[in-house]
Amino acid sequence: MLSEKIRELRKSHRISQVELAQVLCVTKQSVSNWENDNIQPSIDMLIKIAKYFSVSTDYLLDLDNKLTIDVSGLTQEQITHIKLIISDIKSRKN
């Protein structure tokens, strides 16, 4: 659900509803309403939310559960290192 995704992303980024509202130029009440599934953000706002959290709108809408990491500006060596860390973490889950 969109409401759960927004709450989950906000909490994982360790920001309050007030802080997210400030970043998105909306009220804290708007963020609260989204998270409580009282109202849905507009399409424009959905795009802003996705950009802020570096996720796709498909992820927010639960159409695609893939998360991505923005590695632009990193060297190939740094990217390879990140891939190895992710691989190691995944192998430890089992």
Side-chain angles (χ1 to χ4, degrees), residues 18-72:
V18 171
E19 292 168 315
L20 181 57
Q22 289 172 341
V23 167
L24 299 174
C25 299
V26 297
T27 64
K28 183 252 183 211
Q29 189 65 35
S30 292
V31 175
S32 177
N33 280 326
W34 299 336
E35 290 186 3
N36 291 313
D37 208 20
N38 295 329
I39 61 171
Q40 301 295 310
S42 68
I43 293 172
D44 289 339
M45 189 55 60
L46 187 68
I47 293 168
K48 284 183 182 181
I49 294 167
K51 285 183 179 181
Y52 177 74
F53 289 118
S54 299
V55 297
S56 69
T57 53
D58 282 353
Y59 176 79
L60 288 176
L61 297 171
D62 213 18
L63 300 173
D64 181 359
N65 286 325
K66 293 180 185 174
L67 284 174
T68 59
I69 298 173
D70 182 6
V71 294
S72 52

